[in-house]
Amino acid sequence: MAESDEEEHGGDSLHGRKLRIGIISPYAFETPGGVQFHIRDFTNELIRRGHDVQVFAPGRRTKDMPLWVHTNGSSFAIPYNGSVAHLSYFLIAGLQTRRWIRQGHFDLVHLHEPEAPSLSHKPFTMHRHPPLVGTFHASLDPYPFGLKVFERYLHRYLEPLDEAIFVSDAARQTAEHYLPESVERTVIPNGIYHDQFASAVPDPRWTGNVQAPTIGFLGRMGEERKGFAVFAAAAQQVLGQYPYARFLCAGDGEDDGRRMVRRLDPSGRLLEHFEFLGRISEDDKARFYRSLSLYVAPQTGGESFGIVLAEAMSASCPVVSSDLSAFRAVSQNGRSAALFANGDATSCADVICHLLADDAKRADLAAEGERRSRDFDWNAVVNRVLHVYARVLS
């Protein structure tokens, strides 16, 4: 296991050296997701610090992609971890990836999800390549049979990896099944722009009060693991104590969300308390968190980190979340977010009502969450990754 005390400190671990870094995404940038957002923000921070960074990803270019994103022109969609992943693996994908690395003359190549059947899996067949760092995002519980079948293959195939980064202990526990013992390991969380959320101004449209609190959800409502069904069922119970509460729902899947609410209450009265905001901008997302009385993260599985918790906590928004292991880690076992039993709408409603009834407790939770969120600021996260780069290059 890599030493961690040095990583906790700032400072220039590269002693002024500016690197040429190649980053390979397993997922297409045409369809946004957590890994792509992580790569985007991490790359922007490296460029801000003077490093030369290029990214290679499956799929096709769109007009809104940064110039540093290069694509291989093709991708295919498969169900993965409760969602749909757009990957590229067959035909000339390997040739394209290896050629991109050779032509890039990189000091180091950073692979995301190198175990996935996509572009980030391809560099390991090169006879000569730059140092390779891998970041593992996925947390799979239960551990899938498909990965178990390929464990021996992955043990051998991933041996050229110089160091592995896990975004959480939950991701580490998944990757430990197939990662070679020789590979150095460290846990470095996902990053957020803390100040963007901390400085956001509340939006009067979304601000609650004692009689009519606003309780928020953000995520894909039609994706079962995001827990909207739990959120909706909890809302029905909360209204028993707070009949003027408003439930603000941001993200894709409004039609799915409406159907779930109607199934709970065909009369439509429950639906009157729900407001669907659709997909919101990064600036509006910060204002959204900042305005709420409470933010609820009801995800039921498949979460390796808990970026929504960190974002909401940065905005000093009190957070209620399911007790997934990844969320326990972000919340310091419930110290900086109030936890409820995973999948249990009654437990969720009880925690929400308890916090709404206790202004002091809610304020303390918000303050504790804001302090915790500073650990995930991109400045601190990038410092730690650069320490890994320095070790690998030395």
Side-chain angles (χ1 to χ4, degrees):
M1 188 73 73
E3 292 297 325
S4 61
D5 55 343
E6 181 191 26
E7 295 164 0
E8 297 298 337
H9 297 86
D12 184 4
S13 54
L14 293 166
H15 306 291
R17 179 182 177 185
K18 302 303 179 186
L19 301 180
R20 182 165 173 79
I21 302 164
I23 297 177
I24 301 183
S25 169
Y27 308 130
F29 269 64
E30 299 162 275
T31 51
V35 173
Q36 298 94 313
F37 289 140
H38 174 100
I39 292 171
R40 178 200 66 190
D41 294 342
F42 177 62
T43 298
N44 281 327
E45 184 64 20
L46 288 176
I47 292 172
R48 188 187 69 78
R49 296 186 183 205
H51 299 285
D52 183 357
V53 188
Q54 303 295 316
V55 172
F56 193 51
R60 295 173 175 81
R61 277 198 63 82
T62 58
K63 291 181 180 179
D64 59 341
M65 285 184 192
L67 293 176
W68 41 258
V69 174
H70 308 264
T71 60
N72 76 332
S74 66
S75 65
F76 62 93
I78 63 166
Y80 179 70
N81 198 21
S83 184
V84 176
H86 294 261
L87 314 172
S88 184
Y89 186 75
F90 302 108
L91 300 174
I92 63 170
L95 177 65
Q96 291 171 315
T97 305
R98 293 186 288 270
R99 183 173 59 206
W100 183 79
I101 291 174
R102 284 194 296 269
Q103 293 176 348
H105 302 289
F106 300 113
D107 296 305
L108 176 145
V109 172
H110 193 151
L111 312 170
H112 287 261
E113 302 284 48
E115 82 288 2
S118 194
L119 301 184
S120 48
H121 195 66
K122 298 296 186 179
F124 295 99
T125 59
M126 297 177 71
H127 294 297
R128 297 179 62 188
H129 53 72
L132 302 175
V133 172
T135 289
F136 295 82
H137 297 261
S139 171
L140 304 174
D141 185 22
Y143 185 68
F145 177 75
L147 266 178
K148 194 172 184 65
V149 168
F150 286 99
E151 278 182 11
R152 183 174 297 180
Y153 160 76
L154 288 171
H155 268 288
R156 184 178 68 255
Y157 193 80
L158 297 176
E159 281 182 352
L161 201 61
D162 290 281
E163 185 147 349
I165 297 171
F166 313 109
V167 299
S168 66
D169 282 323
R172 177 185 57 77
Q173 289 165 11
T174 294
E176 291 281 11
H177 286 277
Y178 49 77
L179 196 64
E181 292 182 5
S182 60
V183 177
E184 291 285 340
R185 295 154 161 80
T186 190
V187 175
I188 302 176
N190 284 322
I192 58 168
Y193 289 109
H194 172 274
D195 290 350
Q196 175 186 339
F197 295 99
S199 62
V201 177
D203 189 317
R205 296 173 298 169
W206 302 330
T207 303
N209 56 48
V210 175
Q211 287 76 31
T214 51
I215 301 160
F217 169 93
L218 187 150
R220 295 183 289 276
M221 284 160 250
E223 195 171 309
E224 185 178 355
R225 70 187 180 97
K226 296 300 181 183
F228 183 81
V230 177
F231 178 75
Q236 189 174 34
Q237 298 179 45
V238 170
L239 287 169
Q241 294 189 43
Y242 293 89
Y244 301 106
R246 299 162 57 204
F247 299 89
L248 310 183
C249 310
D252 295 331
E254 177 177 342
D255 290 343
D256 294 308
R258 287 181 177 276
R259 276 194 293 271
M260 283 184 242
V261 176
R262 283 198 190 97
R263 276 201 296 269
L264 288 167
D265 179 15
S267 74
R269 285 191 291 271
L270 177 59
L271 192 58
E272 292 174 1
H273 293 268
F274 278 75
E275 299 173 33
F276 295 91
L277 310 180
R279 190 180 296 183
I280 56 179
S281 69
E282 290 296 305
D283 287 341
D284 277 345
K285 181 166 66 171
R287 286 190 281 269
F288 174 71
Y289 290 132
R290 191 76 170 168
S291 306
L292 298 172
S293 306
L294 286 174
Y295 176 77
V296 180
Q299 284 85 338
T300 60
E303 300 293 329
S304 63
F305 175 62
I307 195 76
V308 288
L309 273 69
E311 290 174 344
M313 291 190 298
S314 291
S316 297
C317 178
V319 173
V320 173
S321 87
S322 60
D323 60 355
L324 294 175
S325 59
F327 291 179
R328 279 190 171 278
V330 171
S331 70
Q332 300 168 299
N333 286 317
R335 192 169 123 196
S336 45
L339 304 178
F340 67 88
N342 182 22
D344 188 334
T346 299
S347 174
C348 179
D350 287 345
V351 173
I352 290 172
C353 291
H354 174 73
L355 285 173
L356 290 176
D358 190 336
D359 290 344
K361 174 66 175 175
R362 205 163 67 252
D364 287 346
L365 191 66
E368 197 65 55
E370 195 279 330
R371 281 192 290 271
R372 171 60 168 160
S373 70
R374 294 174 182 270
D375 295 339
F376 309 118
D377 184 66
W378 269 118
N379 187 56
V381 170
V382 170
N383 282 344
R384 297 184 64 184
V385 176
L386 290 177
H387 278 295
V388 171
Y389 288 0
R391 276 202 304 267
V392 168
L393 292 170
S394 66

